[in-house]
Amino acid sequence: MEYIVIFLICTISGFLTGLLSVGGGIVIVPLFLAILPLFGITFSLAEVIGVSATCVFINSSVTAFYRRKEKFLPLKTILPLIISIIIGTVSGAYLADFAPKYIILGIYICVSLMSLYLINGEIYCDLKQKKLSFVLYLIFAFIGAISSSIGIGGAVLFVTALKCFMGKDTKELLPTITILVLCHAFFAFSSKFILGHITLYIIPIAFVASLLGSKIGVKVSRKLSAKTLNILLSVVLVLGLIKIIQELFA
């Protein structure tokens, strides 16, 4: 039963990765914390974050393969963002070992609430014209650190930042977000593996589930409008927030 439950959760996260280019961690963490205890399966928060890092890495790898022929932002734009994400991700993976649970979950809630507001707004600030491009790199490093420490891919937060500072709509950004999440996920997974937080038997389960869920999600995503994708991203954020708030005050 444990394997079936984990497979279903990983399939759902894989579907969301294909649909919205989110790594799935924003769903995996709340679902694991909520559902596994009902079946008598107990994972610590560190173990859940390790499972999430595993699934996000596999989900984003599979989705990047499915989206490989789509249009991405220029490499000169993507590369500095990737470097910022890597620095933040590695820092955040080790931060999670020292920061108390309530601080990690509290930061998650604050950042998600801000993203929920921004993703549905028409806010645009041209940092390049104001010669403040470094601000975007700092933001991406921060998102990488926070995402790594709580076991999510950070895609919703990356989308929010790019929408605000590059003036692109959500659908245009999905292929690029997939690559950014993949880079983040690789270093998050590697860091967690070194720290001994990865549950090895999850890897084959997550891989099969991701192959199934991601392929369906990508096909559905291509048929949806940018507005619909924004609404779905908001729903994912709200559902994740509800569970994390419950966990924080449990």
Side-chain angles (χ1 to χ4, degrees), residues 3-180:
Y3 292 167
I4 294 173
V5 173
I6 292 172
F7 178 81
L8 290 175
I9 293 175
C10 290
T11 301
I12 292 171
S13 73
F15 173 76
L16 288 171
T17 304
L19 180 67
L20 303 171
S21 287
V22 300
I26 203 167
V27 174
I28 291 172
V29 174
L31 284 181
F32 266 68
L33 292 173
I35 295 177
L36 292 186
L38 299 178
F39 294 88
I41 307 166
T42 55
F43 278 60
S44 68
L45 180 60
E47 289 173 324
V48 170
I49 291 174
V51 169
S52 180
T54 303
C55 293
V56 170
F57 175 51
I58 294 173
N59 289 345
S60 55
S61 299
V62 173
T63 302
F65 174 78
Y66 288 141
R67 290 191 179 276
R68 67 192 184 281
K69 296 181 180 179
E70 297 182 23
K71 186 177 181 180
F72 298 85
L73 292 177
L75 183 60
K76 65 179 182 180
T77 300
I78 296 177
L79 193 57
L81 297 178
I82 289 176
I83 294 172
S84 300
I85 290 168
I86 291 171
I87 294 171
T89 298
V90 175
S91 303
Y94 290 93
L95 174 67
D97 258 16
F98 302 101
K101 175 181 173 181
Y102 72 90
I103 291 180
I104 294 174
L105 296 181
I107 293 174
Y108 175 100
I109 291 170
C110 292
V111 174
S112 294
L113 285 172
M114 181 179 69
S115 295
L116 188 61
Y117 170 75
L118 293 175
I119 203 166
N120 293 294
E122 296 298 327
I123 300 172
Y124 173 58
C125 178
D126 190 344
L127 292 177
K128 191 172 183 180
Q129 186 174 347
K130 296 180 179 180
K131 298 182 179 180
L132 294 173
S133 296
F134 72 92
V135 173
L136 184 59
Y137 305 143
L138 291 175
I139 290 172
F140 269 67
F142 176 75
I143 293 173
I146 296 303
S147 301
S148 178
S149 66
I150 60 177
I152 68 172
V156 179
L157 310 181
F158 292 146
V159 169
T160 304
L162 288 181
K163 272 173 58 69
C164 290
F165 300 120
M166 291 192 173
K168 305 283 186 180
D169 68 39
T170 302
K171 194 158 189 173
E172 284 182 277
L173 294 172
L174 290 187
T176 298
I177 294 300
T178 301
I179 296 299
L180 296 179

Side-chain angles (χ1 to χ4, degrees), residues 50-51 53-55 57-58 89 93 148 184-195 198 200 203:
V51 169
T54 303
C55 293
F57 175 51
I58 294 173
T89 298
S148 178
H184 161 75
F186 172 76
F187 283 92
F189 173 80
S190 300
S191 300
K192 296 298 181 183
F193 187 84
I194 292 171
L195 291 169
I198 300 299
L200 295 179
I203 294 176

Side-chain angles (χ1 to χ4, degrees), residues 160-237:
T160 304
L162 288 181
K163 272 173 58 69
C164 290
F165 300 120
M166 291 192 173
K168 305 283 186 180
D169 68 39
T170 302
K171 194 158 189 173
E172 284 182 277
L173 294 172
L174 290 187
T176 298
I177 294 300
T178 301
I179 296 299
L180 296 179
V181 171
L182 174 57
C183 293
H184 161 75
F186 172 76
F187 283 92
F189 173 80
S190 300
S191 300
K192 296 298 181 183
F193 187 84
I194 292 171
L195 291 169
H197 294 170
I198 300 299
T199 308
L200 295 179
Y201 76 84
I202 295 290
I203 294 176
I205 298 174
F207 180 72
V208 175
S210 181
L211 283 175
L212 175 64
S214 296
K215 187 169 186 177
I216 297 171
V218 168
K219 287 184 176 180
V220 174
S221 174
R222 289 169 179 162
K223 297 179 180 179
L224 300 179
S225 67
K227 184 177 181 180
T228 302
L229 292 171
N230 282 343
I231 293 172
L232 291 174
L233 281 167
S234 298
V235 170
V236 170
L237 267 172

